[in-house]
Amino acid sequence: MPNLPCHTCDSQETHRSLTRDEKDWLKNRLVRNNVDDCVMCEAPGCRHVRTGFKKCVGSRDLHIRIPEPD
């Protein structure tokens, strides 16, 4: 995936698609059935989620970060 602007890093960063576990976590967090349009920043320590078209997932949740795996 190309570099995209990251709201948290305030720079262009590499983003990737979410894993199945990350999608499940985000679906529960957002109470949405589909999060296939979301990608995650790969910058060290960031893990901020955005859609392909917006810097943030939603106006209420400007800084949703996928938790580190256990």
Side-chain angles (χ1 to χ4, degrees):
M1 176 158 259
N3 286 353
L4 297 169
C6 176
H7 181 77
T8 303
C9 296
D10 197 29
S11 60
Q12 297 280 329
E13 299 293 340
T14 303
H15 286 67
R16 67 165 174 80
S17 299
L18 303 177
T19 65
R20 179 173 296 202
D21 288 342
E22 292 165 346
K23 285 181 181 182
D24 289 343
W25 180 88
L26 189 58
K27 285 178 188 178
N28 289 331
R29 171 73 166 77
L30 295 175
V31 191
R32 284 176 49 184
N33 290 328
N34 189 331
V35 293
D36 290 339
D37 60 338
C38 296
V39 293
M40 183 183 76
C41 178
E42 290 193 294
C46 184
R47 300 180 67 84
H48 179 259
V49 178
R50 62 168 284 150
T51 67
F53 302 106
K54 297 180 186 176
K55 286 184 183 179
C56 302
V57 173
S59 59
R60 288 186 341 224
D61 297 303
L62 296 178
H63 296 284
I64 293 178
R65 293 180 184 204
I66 300 290
E68 292 283 341
D70 291 335

